[in-house]
Amino acid sequence: MTTTEHTLVADWVSWHAEREELLREPHGWLSLTGLYWLDTSPAQYPDLPGTWRADGTGGVEITAAAADGLEVDGSAVDGTVRVEPVDGLPGALVTVHARNGAPRRAQDRKVEVIRRTDTYALRVRDPEAITRTAFDGVPAYPVEERWVTTGRFEAYPEPTPITVGAVVEGLNHYFTAVGEVTFSLGGADQRLVALPGKTGGLSLHFRDGTSGRGTYGGGRILAVGDPAEDGTVTVDLNRTVNLPCAFTAHATCPLPPAGNTVTVPVEAGERTPPRPDLA
């Protein structure tokens, strides 16, 4: 192994360990145990106290008694409270304390109230979910230097709104594409629509020849750093990661933008993870 390859592997090991720790967080993606879509009529949902409804004006109403153990923004729910989740962003969190007579738990559950376009849902986050307690790391391909290449970012004249489908049938996600990243891989030219990264840089969501055959069928995501002044970017496919929906049935992940398919199998980055909830 060359010095460059050794550094590449060492950096990846450190980065991947941080990613796995993030996944292990008590109320992270591995903690999901339920996804319930709301309508405008108050309704109860499995193992959740109180009633919940979309109010038809951009919010969700939660009605419960103090003894039910629900808490919003640090205050117990005793009557009706209203939360306003924002489309496409992490939802409003409602803490569910263990009620009298219930088995003691190490940590409370949380209900994330989410908005997706004009629909609303509850996503239950339970630190004792089997997808979290049985988590033993994310399988990945061996790190290789051949999967690191230099690409070029071509910005659009103006950011362009795009619509993509979702793993949930009938649901759409709305993003703003900022340009395209081109690079060569396996002797073939590749071109992928780029979205803004969550903390800077760019996000490339794509499928390839391994999708559904070794990697998650809904595609994977690669974070790319900010382009240099000449538009060049480093494309390190060893750091391609799964979306949350690869780990749980209760996520609403987007599908890749139209045409975002790498034409060669990308045997790099994260592979399909085990699903103890489906065993």
Side-chain angles (χ1 to χ4, degrees):
M1 181 181 293
T2 66
T3 301
T4 300
E5 290 171 328
H6 185 274
T7 300
L8 180 69
V9 172
D11 289 347
W12 182 91
V13 168
S14 177
W15 165 82
H16 196 61
E18 290 180 6
R19 167 158 166 76
E20 289 182 331
E21 282 306 302
L22 184 64
L23 286 168
R24 288 188 178 96
E25 288 186 345
H27 296 100
W29 288 112
L30 298 181
S31 72
L32 299 188
T33 59
L35 177 66
Y36 308 114
W37 296 95
L38 306 179
D39 59 28
T40 55
S41 298
Q44 294 181 304
Y45 295 91
D47 202 29
L48 291 180
T51 62
W52 311 69
R53 80 176 191 97
D55 66 10
T57 62
V60 170
E61 288 185 350
I62 307 159
T63 301
D68 287 328
L70 295 182
E71 185 179 287
V72 175
D73 293 333
S75 298
V77 177
D78 190 11
T80 298
V81 299
R82 184 176 185 273
V83 297
E84 292 187 3
V86 178
D87 182 27
L89 296 182
L93 290 178
V94 179
T95 301
V96 184
H97 297 293
R99 289 173 283 181
N100 291 336
R104 295 191 64 181
R105 302 171 56 87
Q107 298 189 67
D108 294 321
R109 291 179 297 155
K110 292 187 181 293
V111 178
E112 182 187 11
V113 184
I114 62 172
R115 177 175 180 172
R116 296 296 179 262
T117 314
D118 292 322
T119 58
Y120 299 81
L122 309 178
R123 200 151 52 192
V124 182
R125 296 179 178 266
D126 184 350
E128 296 180 13
I130 190 172
T131 41
R132 178 175 180 269
T133 58
F135 180 65
D136 192 29
V138 187
Y141 290 99
V143 178
E144 297 183 62
E145 193 174 0
R146 67 189 177 106
W147 296 111
V148 184
T149 186
T150 298
R152 181 172 296 277
F153 173 62
E154 300 174 359
Y156 292 147
E158 296 289 340
T160 302
I162 63 171
T163 302
V164 300
V167 296
V168 176
E169 186 175 357
L171 185 67
N172 288 323
H173 290 267
Y174 302 94
F175 296 115
T176 300
V178 292
E180 297 177 359
V181 171
T182 62
F183 57 97
S184 180
L185 192 67
D189 293 334
Q190 313 294 332
R191 179 177 292 271
L192 299 176
V193 172
L195 306 178
K198 290 185 178 180
T199 57
L202 305 170
S203 178
L204 305 178
H205 185 184
F206 64 90
R207 287 192 177 100
D208 65 90
T210 70
S211 300
R213 293 177 288 184
T215 66
Y216 179 64
R220 295 178 292 163
I221 285 183
L222 176 65
V224 174
D226 289 320
E229 289 187 6
D230 63 357
T232 57
V233 292
T234 298
V235 178
D236 184 356
L237 291 160
N238 294 296
R239 299 198 180 196
T240 307
V241 301
N242 292 311
L243 279 76
C245 42
F247 300 94
T248 175
H250 307 301
T252 59
C253 299
L255 298 175
N260 267 27
T261 300
V262 176
T263 60
V264 299
V266 179
E267 296 177 337
E270 293 184 350
R271 306 186 65 166
T272 305
R275 288 291 302 276
D277 55 323
L278 301 180

